[in-house]
Amino acid sequence: MTHMVFARRPARRGNAVVRLILFWLVGIAFPLIATPPAFGHELSMAVLSLKEFRPGVFIGRWTLTSGLDEQGLSPVFPSHCTWVAPRLDCGERGLNGTLGFEGMGSKQSAVMFRVTLLDKSTRTYTLTPASPTLTVTQDPGHNFTGWREIADTYITLGIDHILLGVDHLLFVLGLIWLVRSTRMLIKTISAFTVAHSLTLAAATFGWIVVPERAVNAAIALSIVFVGVEIVKLQGGQVGLTARHPWAVAFSFGLLHGLGFASALSTLGIPQATLPFALLFFNLGVEIGQIAFVLLVLAVMWAHRTVQAQAPRWCAPVPAYAIGAVASFWFLTRMGKIFIT
C-alpha cells in the first residue's frame, strides 16, 4: 500500500485545496474532531424497567447506560393503559398492545423496555429510531422478539457503537497507517476482528470479568502505543507493529473486545436471546469497521490520484495528533478510576 508522500517541492496550484483537505481529513481533522467523545465504547441507551406488583399494574424506573437523561423520551403504551409516572395501570388486559417511544434519535441509539412479571419472568423489547414501536400479544411465544427483529435491532446497535467509538477507529486508523501492503492489511484487520470477537463473547457470557474503567484506560493507551510506532516508522526505525502488525492487532484486539462487551452487559438481555443478540451486535460492529476501513482507503486512493503533497514538516503531525488525543483520553480515564 502506498503511503502519503511528503516532499519539499510545491504542489501544483490547481490541486492545492483538494490536497489540503485530504491531508487534514486523514491525519489531523479526524483525531481533533474526535476529541469531545472521549469516552468511546459507551452505548447511548436508555432502559425503562417495568415491574408488575399486582396483576396489570407496574412500577416504572429509568436505567441509563451512559450518563444520559431520559428528557425528551415519551413512552407509548396500549390505549387501555394509564401511565402516570412511575405507575402504569393496564388492568385485566395487561400489557398487551402497542409499545413504543416518542422522541428517540436525538440522544439515544436505542431504548429498551424491560418487563418483570408477577411470576418473576422477564421480557425485553428493544426499540430503535428506525423501529420505534412493536406489538405485544397475549401469546407467550409471540411476546419474545423474533430473530429478524433481533437482527435489525442489534446490527443497528453494533454499527452505531463502532462509529461512535472513536477510540477504536483511531486504533484502526493507526494500523492502516503502519501496514505497507493490502494483503498484510487484510491479515491485520482479520486478526483484530477475531481477537475482539473472542473477548466480546467471553465477557458478554460472563466467563471473564474485567473492570470497565481500567479497560477503557488501557484501550486509550493502546492508541498511544500505535502513535509512537508511527513516529518510529517515519524516523526510519521499524517498530514491533510495523514488523508484526497482525500479532499486535490480535493482542490489542483482545483488549478492545472487552470494551465492546461493556455495551451489551449493561442491557440485561435475556439468556434466551443473548447468543443471537451477541452475534448480530458483533456483525454490526464488523460492518461499521469495514465501512471505516474502506473510507480511509478511498481517501488514500484519492490522495494518490491528485498527487497530494505537503511540506516535510507536516509528516509527524498526524501521528502526534493521534497520540495527543489518546493520551488525553488515558489521563482522563485514569482520573475517573482514582477520583470516583
Side-chain angles (χ1 to χ4, degrees):
M1 180 180 298
T2 303
H3 289 265
M4 289 188 176
V5 178
F6 296 87
R8 293 183 181 279
R9 63 185 180 85
R12 288 178 294 180
R13 185 173 302 174
N15 290 327
V17 175
V18 176
R19 295 166 188 162
L20 186 60
I21 291 174
L22 290 173
F23 174 72
W24 275 84
L25 176 62
V26 174
I28 301 177
F30 181 81
L32 293 182
I33 293 174
T35 303
F39 305 102
H41 290 111
E42 290 185 355
L43 193 63
S44 54
M45 187 167 189
V47 180
L48 179 56
S49 299
L50 298 171
K51 185 174 182 179
E52 190 177 24
F53 67 93
R54 69 171 190 261
V57 183
F58 303 80
I59 289 294
R61 181 175 63 89
W62 286 100
T63 303
L64 308 164
T65 63
S66 58
L68 299 172
D69 59 50
E70 73 274 18
Q71 185 176 2
L73 280 176
S74 177
V76 176
F77 297 107
S79 58
H80 63 274
C81 296
T82 302
W83 169 247
V84 181
R87 190 175 187 271
L88 175 68
D89 189 347
C90 295
E92 296 180 356
R93 297 174 60 181
L95 192 60
N96 297 302
T98 300
L99 289 180
F101 285 96
E102 296 177 350
M104 279 194 296
S106 59
K107 292 185 178 181
Q108 285 79 24
S109 306
V111 185
M112 175 187 290
F113 283 106
R114 182 184 296 138
V115 182
T116 302
L117 302 177
L118 282 175
D119 62 4
K120 306 301 181 181
S121 64
T122 301
R123 299 170 183 173
T124 60
Y125 309 97
T126 305
L127 303 173
T128 65
S131 302
T133 63
L134 58 81
T135 300
V136 179
T137 71
Q138 293 181 351
D139 178 9
H142 186 73
N143 282 336
F144 292 95
T145 307
W147 71 268
R148 290 185 179 180
E149 293 172 305
I150 295 175
D152 179 67
T153 296
Y154 287 96
I155 287 177
T156 301
L157 286 177
I159 294 174
D160 180 79
H161 186 58
I162 183 62
L163 294 182
L164 294 179
V166 184
D167 46 3
H168 172 82
L169 295 183
L170 274 184
F171 183 81
V172 174
L173 178 63
L175 292 178
I176 297 173
W177 205 287
L178 285 164
V179 176
R180 294 182 174 276
S181 70
T182 301
R183 181 178 179 181
M184 182 55 71
L185 178 61
I186 294 174
K187 185 177 180 180
T188 300
I189 297 300
S190 298
F192 187 65
T193 296
V194 171
H196 72 62
S197 297
L198 290 174
T199 48
L200 170 60
T204 301
F205 285 111
W207 299 336
I208 55 175
V209 179
V210 181
E212 180 181 352
R213 291 180 177 178
V215 168
N216 285 335
I219 287 173
L221 198 59
S222 72
I223 305 169
V224 176
F225 175 82
V226 170
V228 172
E229 291 286 277
I230 295 174
V231 173
K232 287 182 178 180
L233 185 62
Q234 291 174 338
Q237 181 180 353
V238 181
L240 177 63
T241 307
R243 292 197 305 271
H244 308 290
W246 69 269
V248 173
F250 184 86
S251 300
F252 283 124
L254 296 173
L255 180 65
H256 282 247
L258 296 174
F260 287 136
S262 64
L264 289 180
S265 62
T266 57
L267 301 185
I269 303 170
Q271 291 296 317
T273 59
L274 185 57
F276 295 102
L278 174 63
L279 171 64
F280 291 120
F281 179 81
N282 195 55
L283 181 59
V285 167
E286 299 316 317
I287 292 173
Q289 179 175 278
I290 291 172
F292 175 74
V293 171
L294 292 178
L295 173 62
V296 174
L297 293 179
V299 171
M300 296 178 71
W301 173 83
H303 167 269
R304 294 194 302 270
T305 300
V306 300
Q307 298 179 350
Q309 296 172 343
R312 186 176 296 276
W313 64 266
C314 291
V317 173
Y320 280 107
I322 292 174
V325 171
S327 297
F328 170 75
W329 287 343
F330 173 71
L331 294 175
T332 303
R333 294 173 185 183
M334 287 298 294
K336 291 186 69 176
I337 293 175
F338 292 106
I339 295 176
T340 59

